[in-house]
Amino acid sequence: MPKNNLAKTLMDLGLDEKEAKVYISSLSLGPATVLAIAKATDVKRTTVYSVVESLKQKGLIIVEVRGFKKLYTPQPPSRLEILLAEKRKTLQNSMPKLLELYGLEGTDAQSIKHYQ
């Protein structure tokens, strides 16, 4: 599967375009510095720092310190399934409130009722 299709799949799962590029490149690079990731993705190095932090918060990248260098290591793609399951659980927890709001549809004073 070409990288563009993989990036689209990752974007469908909730990653933005730069996060998808960085994650895909990280998978092929393995543990790498921000500079190496930036070169592989054609994303500015300063931008890669914020993207890597976002991926770290999502659990898709971890930081390893080796000597004076920070290496960013991607987590296995199976972590994406866990991320998706967490989103599903969040939606399921919110569903009762959403359905409650849906049940209130048309009950405000602005609705027009037609009786025959």
Side-chain angles (χ1 to χ4, degrees):
M1 182 180 276
K3 285 188 178 183
N4 288 340
N5 290 344
L6 290 175
K8 184 177 178 341
T9 300
L10 293 177
M11 289 188 293
D12 289 344
L13 293 175
L15 274 61
D16 68 28
E17 184 179 356
K18 290 179 182 173
E19 288 174 335
K21 280 183 178 180
V22 167
Y23 183 66
I24 290 168
S25 291
S26 294
L27 287 173
S28 61
L29 291 172
T33 63
V34 168
L35 182 61
I37 294 170
K39 285 181 180 179
T41 58
D42 292 328
V43 176
K44 292 183 180 180
R45 182 183 52 82
T46 54
T47 304
V48 171
Y49 280 107
S50 61
V51 171
V52 164
E53 186 60 35
S54 175
L55 290 171
K56 187 174 122 181
Q57 290 175 353
K58 292 178 180 180
L60 296 174
I61 284 186
I62 60 170
V63 181
E64 296 177 15
V65 178
R66 292 186 189 165
F68 293 108
K69 289 187 177 185
K70 283 187 180 180
L71 297 177
Y72 297 89
T73 306
Q75 293 299 292
S78 59
R79 177 70 182 116
L80 292 166
E81 289 179 336
I82 295 169
L83 186 65
L84 189 60
E86 290 170 356
K87 286 184 179 189
R88 178 181 286 278
K89 187 175 181 181
T90 301
L91 175 63
Q92 287 174 344
N93 290 340
S94 299
M95 192 58 71
K97 289 285 185 189
L98 292 169
L99 289 172
E100 185 179 305
L101 290 172
Y102 178 74
L104 296 176
E105 179 183 5
T107 60
D108 59 346
Q110 296 177 356
S111 63
I112 298 173
K113 296 180 182 174
H114 179 71
Y115 295 101
Q116 290 185 352

